[in-house]
Amino acid sequence: MSFVLVATVGGLTSVGIYLITSRSLGRIILGFALLGHAAVLALLASSGPAGSPPIAGTERSISNPLPQALALTAIVISFGLTLFLLALARRQHVLTGDDLVEDDLEDRRIARYDDSPDTSIERATR
Amino acid sequence: MIEQLLQVQTDSPEVAWSLIAPLVTLALGGILLITISSLIPSLKDNWFPAAFTAGTAAAAMVFVVDIWDRVSSTGPEFVVANSMSVDQYTVFVTGVICISVFLVSLLFHGYLQREGFSGPEWYVLILMSASGGVLLASAEDLIVTFIGLEILSIAVYVLASLHLRRGESQEAGFKYFLLGALSSALFLYGIALTYGATGSTRLTGISQSGLNERGLSPAVDSSMILVAMALLMVGFAFKVSAVPFHLWTPDVYEGSPSPVVAFMASAVKVAGFAGMLRVFFVGFGPYVEDWRPLLQGLAIASLVVGSLLAIAQSNVKRMLAYSSITHAGFILIGIYAAADPESRSNGGVLGAEAFLFYLLAYTIMVAGTFGVITLIGRRDDGRHSLDDYRGLFKSNPVLAVLMSALLFAQAGIPFTSGFLAKFRVIAAAAQSEAYVLAGVAMLASVVAAVLYLRIVVSMFLVDSPAEADEPDALPSGLSAFPLAGVTAVAIAVVATIALGVLPFGQEILTDAAEAMSAMR
Amino acid sequence: MIWVLLAAHIVGIFAASYSGRSSMRTGLLVAAIAPALTTAWATTQLLKPNDTVYEMVWVQGLDLSLRFRVDSLAILMTILVSGIGALVFVYASGYFKPSADGGSHFPASLLLFSFSMLGLVLADSIWTLFIFWELTSVSSFLLVGFKNLDVDVRIAARRALLITGGGGLALLAGFLILADASNTTVLSNLEPISGPNAGIAAALLMFAAATKSAQMPFHIWLPGAMAAPTPVSAYLHSATMVKAGILLLASTSATFEDVAIWKPLGLTLGISTMLWGAFGALRHRDAKLILAWGTISQLGLLVTLLSVGTPKATFAAMSLLTAHAVFKAALFITVGEIDIRTGTRDIYELGGLTKSMPITFAVAAISAASMAGVPLLLGFAAKEAAIEAVLDLKGTELWLVGGAVIGGAVMTVAYSLRFVLGVFGPGPQTSVSPRRSAMTVPAVALGAASIAGYIFLGSVNSIVGPAVVELDEKANVYSLLRWPGFTPGLLTSLSVVIVGFLIGYSVSTRTEGANAPTAIGASFADRSINEVLTFARELIGRIQHGSLPVYLATMMTTASLAATPFVTAIDPDSLRRWDHVLQIPLGFGVVASAVAGAFVTTRLSAALTLGAVGIGVSGLFALHGAPDLALTQLLVETVVVVGFVIGLGRLSRRFPPVGGAWHATRMAVAVLGGIAVMVALIASASDPTGLPPVAALSEGAVEQGGGKNIVNVILTDIRALDTLGEVVVLATVAIGIMALAKSPKPEGRKAAQ
């Protein structure tokens, strides 16, 4: 296995993770796309040594075709998902004017409930 | 691997279409629906998509009945080059998924009209997702399992975000999608490790190598397979929202359109459990002693966290989101008991029966419950606090009584399907000597009962403060609600009570449970 | 017949709910029909020998069935449950105003309770018993909790539900063990069991009975439940539901007779409850609470007698149970009437009612006397049997149990007198509203029953006697005596009455300005419940922070840590530095563009770096010998970049800034993730299980797929199902994008596609 390939995969993964933990949808999508690249490269890296294109009947040593088939699938799927995310982000923008992911605060609000504990839970039903 | 691949090649022309008819019906139904609606746009906005979808589910159900008879006599059948298997277990789960699709499509109709959304996409996505679920339940190969899981999920990610006017809906879709995609990635990682450890993605192949390992073949790296199982379990646990992979559940349930939540909580969960069970029973049967503790941990955590966190909520959708986590815990106990290595020797398929009955009962009652929530949510689907349920009995007695029946069922009150479901699970757990699990389950069910009764009580409270002069007060009288939605809820209630009172269907359950136990 | 009666109840529930919508009174009277019919049927069965079993099987494998048995005990209990039930419905129709709120659910809920209780007393399978036991808990919660918007009431209802619900759990657990140990689920077939499991089962059932029948320290729910309307208290909290635990103990005591802890546990519970309850009845000044605490005390006495376990004690217990149901229901009913007609239940504010409420006074006085065990009343005969039974004991038991029972009896007399004096005796002349006959008739009926029971003691014996024999065959020699003669027992009871009378008289003074006594224990229970709720809220704050980035970071970290086992599997020899020297610049370019993309501040440049990464990756594909991949990647990348620009182009151009600590965490998670992926990859290469079957694939492609491009053959032929699945995924996504592009706002444009 080529160390350069592995390092590239690691680098892409790191940047991808960094990006998807951001609050901006645009960056999250960017990170998602990078992780997709990383996954495909990883498939390729684990497919064994490089070779010539896997065409039957070639004399030289060819690269392993099975992971390539899977990788092709992975590319197409991550392509579709990225576009879907873009559509979502755009819709979010139409609705809210920006593309930030808000925290869902409902549960934190409940946790902070600083009513007297005797009745607060019952009051919550009001 | 190559032999198997070639096996595929030689066998693939022979597809036993009649055995995968429900799957094909659901998928083709979706394609037909979108085709017809784009050719004849006038059909888009009336009853046609809902009727078509419900009809498709009913047609699939007819095939389910037919196939049931067939596999009852022939035993399990392997189809599409052995990558799927059709046995009574698969057929049962398929039936449950069809029921969910049927109910949800009825709910969609009034909902879309109220919210002013048109178009068949909602229905098409439901059908697609359901076909993914069926595929997941019957998959005999991890790759097929993965594809089923993805088809099932992606359609639901989309559905979650389809309420175009609510920012919460977009966010729900986004969160569900990203977390789901990550869990899928972990699942894939698990597949890769499994392949690395056993040299196969086919479930039978995996279990063969497992047997070898037990039979002293050192070739299989057992730490690798442990991690692989854990990762696969994470993938499924995410889908069925078992703790600690439940984090998305309350946020997504709250933000998603209510009828979509009905589908998420029923069909998606059922399919997730069905897939989990098949993968672990067939593929990792030899490792049962390794993964059963995982189930136990998930079950206890789900029961405790689900029931504890639910009681402090004040939003009904969130409450039910947490309660669905508790239910997941119960179902996991069913699997745990069914996976008891001793259970075959003492002749019991109690765990398997409990699991299957729970799936059926839960699907119907949760679809009904979220059906009522759909009806009550009012335009923009945002009225789900406990306050919005106050005085419901006064303005809409029928709806309040239906909802009470469903909540009672969820609480496990006798003479509802929920009671029998919980009872079966607890009895099965006790029979497998899983006393801790049974005890935790019992405690959780009491805590959960308080939760459901809280909703019931607030519906029956007499006054409804400031309700009268509100512009979008809940209309009184049943006729104010869409007929299809009310019908769906009524069907759910009748089925819930019938399942809880009448002792029918035991043979079906036993047959399916035996098929399930035979997978190990 | 049982099915018909049960069905009649269910029909009645719906009918009552429907007819109650217009008027509470109609609803209640409709609801009374089913219990009245049941009572009539049970009366006709009284003197016949009876032993019929009705069974409907639910789940064969679990022995889960509805199984009822009509025997003498069941008939006796049915008459108590349905007879008092019918009277209470009539009473309630006077208690509530016809226009009272809740007419559509109160009668229905009360009838639901009646139904549950009927099922409970008839049950002959442990599971049937359990089912109806749970139903009584739920329906009583509905009856107590529904009343009003008062937070305290609902807290009390919640407390009751949690305590009895916990008891229900113990019952389920105990029954599971019992069924396992005795190999049957039929109550009447239970055999004595022993062993460690039997001890656990005994403790669990004792606990269940203690919660339901308000034994120390679980009695705290009962006074709280007094917030319910009086018909509910009269019916549930005195006559029937609280007897469920007693019935459970009675019908399982033979099973546990060999279990060592059964008797001491029962005696401890029973005696402490009896004394503490009587003390409570002497403390309180709300007439209804006095009765409630009195009930607790009487229940303690019943548990004590059943735990003593001699045939004579069992006989006494069942007689007392019958007498208690009659007189306590009557007392509650009178208190309810007083409450309605005077507007208060405080014995410091009540007084002088003998003239203005003569009938009520008569009923209350007779019933209280019966409770105190004054001769010539049913209560006397039963109390007499109890004292005879404890005086028969030997040694320490005699001193312990006998002393406690006699002490309890003295206190019972005292609080009975205090009740009558406090409510009716000299004091402020309370003004009284007119009498309602619907309240009077049931009161008179129940009051008269205490007298009639004594006059027709023979009939009572012929009903109670066979019922006790169902529990203990050796009890057939006992009967209630009208006049026992001057035995030590009689002398004891007479002195009990006299001493109690004196004590009662002396404690019946009013203390002006005294506060109502606080409920001991109840607040502790509520605090504990609130502790749990607070804990739940804190837990929520910890777990459900609702932040997507944190969720993602957590999942990533977990996944990364899952890779740690593979560190040991790394084999450095399996690594080459590179396959092709051009990989170095390409790989470097890819990572550098990605890093740049992470830190650029405008969206357009981010899109461009993404494009650069894509091109670099396709270069890597080409180098690896995968031209199909390279081409697809290029194509896809172009579309994605265009989509990025279209989709996000209208957003404010700059990314928002990110804060400090979180930034560092993200970095750490990211680096950890990258390392984990590398470790896993290298480790997988070190373990060459899946050797590439290149040659075979190559042949297979040509022979069977009919194509030379192996990748294509795999996709279209060999793994066609997978590919089909991917097509479906893409189609789904396309539909989603289409649907999202439909804009509810006119200014929206077509989405990125």
Side-chain angles (χ1 to χ4, degrees), chain C residues 414-716:
Chain C
Y415 68 70
S416 304
L417 183 69
R418 178 167 178 263
F419 170 78
V420 175
L421 284 180
V423 175
F424 297 97
Q429 296 291 319
T430 323
S431 61
V432 168
S433 65
R435 194 166 62 81
R436 300 180 194 166
S437 49
M439 295 205 308
T440 313
V441 173
V444 171
L446 286 168
S450 285
I451 304 174
Y454 186 72
I455 297 172
F456 304 106
L457 204 56
S459 314
V460 175
N461 269 325
S462 63
I463 299 169
V464 175
V468 181
V469 173
E470 299 285 348
L471 295 170
D472 192 336
E473 286 174 6
K474 282 173 280 184
N476 58 357
V477 294
Y478 302 108
S479 60
L480 290 171
L481 301 177
R482 190 162 291 143
W483 189 254
F486 285 95
T487 58
L490 179 75
L491 294 177
T492 315
S493 354
L494 289 182
S495 29
V496 161
V497 171
I498 294 164
V499 174
F501 204 85
L502 292 174
I503 297 178
Y505 194 78
S506 65
V507 297
S508 298
T509 49
R510 281 163 218 275
T511 322
E512 293 304 329
N515 288 325
T518 49
I520 299 170
S523 59
F524 172 75
D526 288 337
R527 261 207 313 282
S528 321
I529 297 172
N530 279 318
E531 288 296 317
V532 173
L533 288 175
T534 313
F535 172 71
R537 263 188 245 135
E538 276 166 10
L539 199 63
I540 286 177
R542 294 271 156 74
I543 303 182
Q544 300 296 140
H545 38 70
S547 168
L548 179 66
V550 179
Y551 288 164
L552 287 172
T554 317
M555 283 184 74
M556 288 294 186
T557 314
T558 319
S560 309
L561 294 179
T564 28
F566 305 134
V567 176
T568 53
I570 289 184
D571 173 14
D573 298 340
S574 68
L575 276 184
R576 288 178 308 282
R577 261 170 281 170
W578 51 72
D579 289 328
H580 193 290
V581 84
L582 270 180
Q583 276 182 338
I584 301 172
L586 277 175
F588 180 78
V590 164
V591 175
S593 316
V595 172
F599 293 98
V600 293
T601 49
T602 65
R603 287 165 213 271
L604 187 62
S605 33
L608 291 179
T609 57
L610 183 61
V613 170
I615 291 166
V617 169
S618 52
L620 285 174
F621 289 157
L623 280 185
H624 203 84
D628 300 306
L629 288 187
L631 280 175
T632 317
Q633 182 69 54
L634 268 182
L635 194 65
V636 158
E637 208 55 42
T638 317
V639 180
V640 168
V641 170
V642 171
F644 212 90
V645 172
I646 296 176
L648 297 181
R650 295 175 45 197
L651 284 169
S652 64
R653 291 175 16 150
R654 291 186 177 278
F655 285 118
V658 190
W662 175 231
H663 189 76
T665 318
R666 278 170 65 194
M667 289 281 204
V669 173
V671 171
L672 183 66
I675 293 173
V677 167
M678 289 169 66
V679 166
L681 263 182
I682 298 173
S684 75
S686 311
D687 178 20
T689 321
L691 272 181
V694 179
L697 273 176
S698 164
E699 282 167 25
V702 179
E703 283 172 18
Q704 293 165 38
K708 286 191 174 175
N709 185 332
I710 308 173
V711 175
N712 287 356
V713 172
I714 293 175
L715 282 177
T716 52

Side-chain angles (χ1 to χ4, degrees), chain B residues 131-155:
Chain B
S131 68
V134 173
L135 187 62
L136 176 58
S138 49
E140 280 283 328
D141 185 308
L142 279 181
I143 304 279
V144 180
T145 306
F146 179 72
I147 289 170
L149 199 63
E150 286 305 293
I151 297 176
L152 172 79
S153 315
I154 289 177

Side-chain angles (χ1 to χ4, degrees), chain A residues 1-3 14 18 21 27 37 40 51 56 63-64 73 90-91 93 99 104 108 110 117 120 125-126, chain C residues 149 154 530 537 545-546 574 576 583 600 603 621 625 633 637 651 663 666 670 692 708 726 740 742 744:
Chain A
M1 185 179 288
S2 149
F3 180 76
S14 283
Y18 176 78
T21 50
R27 286 200 154 136
H37 285 314
V40 177
S63 54
N64 184 359
T73 307
R90 187 174 173 285
R91 160 67 45 191
H93 173 232
D99 72 339
D104 200 319
R108 276 196 245 174
I110 288 173
S120 58
T125 66
R126 299 219 155 168
Chain C
L149 303 166
R154 271 190 276 148
N530 279 318
R537 263 188 245 135
H545 38 70
S574 68
R576 288 178 308 282
Q583 276 182 338
V600 293
R603 287 165 213 271
F621 289 157
Q633 182 69 54
E637 208 55 42
L651 284 169
H663 189 76
R666 278 170 65 194
K708 286 191 174 175
E726 284 135 23
L740 280 174
K742 284 185 184 170

